[in-house]
Amino acid sequence: MAEPFSEFVQRQLATIQTEGLLRKRRLVEPLGEGRCRLNGRELWDFSSNDYHGLANHREVIAAACESTRTHGLGARASVLISGWTPAHQALRDQLATFEAVEDVLLCSSGYAACQGAIAALVKPGDLVFCDRLNHACLIDGCRLSGGSLRVFRHSELDALERQLQKFQSHQGRRWIVTETVFGMDGVLAPLARLVELAEQYDATIICDEAHATGVYGSTGQGAVTELRESGHCDADLINRRIAVRVGTLSKSLGSQGGFVAGSAALIQLLWNTARPLMFSTGLSVAACGGAAAAIRILQDDPDRCSRLRKSSVEFRQTLRDAGLTLLGDSDSPIVSVVLEDPDRTMNWASELEVAGFLVGAIRPPTVPHNTARLRISLSSVHSPDVLNELTQVLLKLHETSHV
Ligand SMILES: *Cc1c(COP(=O)(O)O)cnc(C)c1O
């Protein structure tokens, strides 16, 4: 007889606990303006991916309510049946213009968009070159696709090139899958070089812009747009090699859901082949209305993105000058302070909490061994004074830890 189900569950939980990997949810009450309440205390929230505080923005909330009043809350069916409402159509049109593409598809999460698109496009016999730090949804998509997965060390393009060379005469298609801003490190992918390598070795790039949307590009269109706008890379080359761009509505846009931006033919193909899109209910109407308002806000105030990035550069510089170890040279709002030891990381996080700041404490296996870190996410709603206070607390922790 099989082990009773309840014992089976308990035994697995016990294993996770013994390994020190048991995670727990905490009740966090968002208060807006970059603040939250945790355990009865109000804190500055430096842990969210809502880089402009748009989830609590008055106009975003009003738009989500208004679209819900007009069209109802849920989509009621898969998009292919009847789950595509005027709210979806309006967001689609707006996102296609924003991202300067022919078409955009919308689905219920960024996770589903990435996993679904990759699994639908990559075929058995294809080769997929994946950065080692790629998000789980990209890895899952590759695994589901039946393509053969080749992992290269994070942003080490010499290693990637050697692999591309080795498989130059491979029969199937070659893909390169990457995040444009790596979510746990806060650093940009070397996109220009990736595009050149893709051209040289005839590979097609799939980009996940989850942490780049709302941060890079003149009004937050993402890192691919930023590369195009920079003039450092030929626009035709970018368009030819970066065939698929996936983004999320759930981070900078303060809403919920995922999208894929590309050619009309690509989007039509994905609606017909990507299973999480075909067999899941359409994105909620409220999420559509909210995301549409968030994009308008970013377009009306492009300074938001540059302000956020400027404060990131200054914050990083101060921490570096004081001797703290940061990951990468970047201006993204994700600032990773590497403390290496998981216990030390947890201690610093609780000290910061006592001082009034909520930050992410990230340990293996989410990040590689010996790279436990504080993941501090800045937001354009935090004032320079607040950021300065946080800096002082961090510097103090650093000083005392060296005595
Ligand atoms: C958050 C994230 C996703 C998932 O997006 P959701 O909309 O939260 O499902 C996908 N890829 C990356 C790189 C992410 O950071």
Side-chain angles (χ1 to χ4, degrees), residues 58-85:
R58 194 171 35 81
E59 289 167 35
V60 173
I61 295 169
C65 293
E66 185 52 35
S67 57
T68 302
R69 250 193 298 278
T70 314
H71 304 295
L73 175 60
R76 305 172 186 85
S78 143
V79 162
L80 299 176
I81 305 296
S82 57
W84 188 256
T85 68

Side-chain angles (χ1 to χ4, degrees), residues 227-363:
L227 178 64
R228 201 178 286 129
E229 290 170 344
S230 75
H232 293 324
C233 195
D234 180 59
D236 287 339
L237 182 59
I238 297 174
N239 292 343
R240 185 160 66 242
R241 290 301 160 188
I242 303 185
V244 188
R245 269 190 288 150
V246 192
T248 176
L249 310 174
S250 325
K251 289 176 174 152
S252 278
L253 299 178
S255 180
Q256 185 102 45
F259 67 89
V260 181
S263 70
L266 169 72
I267 301 307
Q268 192 171 23
L269 176 66
L270 289 176
W271 277 130
N272 282 277
T273 50
R275 293 163 67 83
L277 315 182
M278 301 169 73
F279 300 107
S280 184
T281 302
L283 183 61
S284 90
V285 167
C288 292
I295 295 167
R296 279 194 297 276
I297 291 166
L298 289 179
Q299 286 177 310
D300 288 348
D301 179 13
D303 274 359
R304 272 177 186 267
C305 297
S306 44
R307 243 185 3 251
L308 179 62
R309 288 163 61 177
K310 190 160 160 282
S311 65
S312 161
V313 169
E314 291 165 2
F315 181 59
R316 281 165 197 273
Q317 193 58 49
T318 313
L319 298 187
R320 271 224 168 89
D321 288 350
L324 283 155
T325 308
L326 304 196
L327 278 174
D329 205 9
S330 165
D331 57 358
S332 98
I334 304 160
V335 181
S336 282
V337 180
V338 180
L339 299 172
E340 296 181 6
D341 178 54
D343 290 338
R344 185 159 175 245
T345 305
M346 297 314 285
N347 286 340
W348 279 46
S350 32
E351 291 291 336
L352 280 161
E353 219 175 285
V354 170
F357 299 93
L358 181 61
V359 305
I362 318 281
R363 293 170 284 176

Side-chain angles (χ1 to χ4, degrees), residues 109-112 114 135 137 179 181 183 208 210-211 248-251 257-258:
S109 75
Y111 200 109
C114 285
H135 191 269
C137 64
E179 295 183 34
V181 173
D208 180 352
H211 291 280
T248 176
L249 310 174
S250 325
K251 289 176 174 152

Side-chain angles (χ1 to χ4, degrees), residues 179-191:
E179 295 183 34
T180 55
V181 173
F182 287 90
M184 287 301 142
D185 287 21
V187 297
L188 283 149
L191 265 190

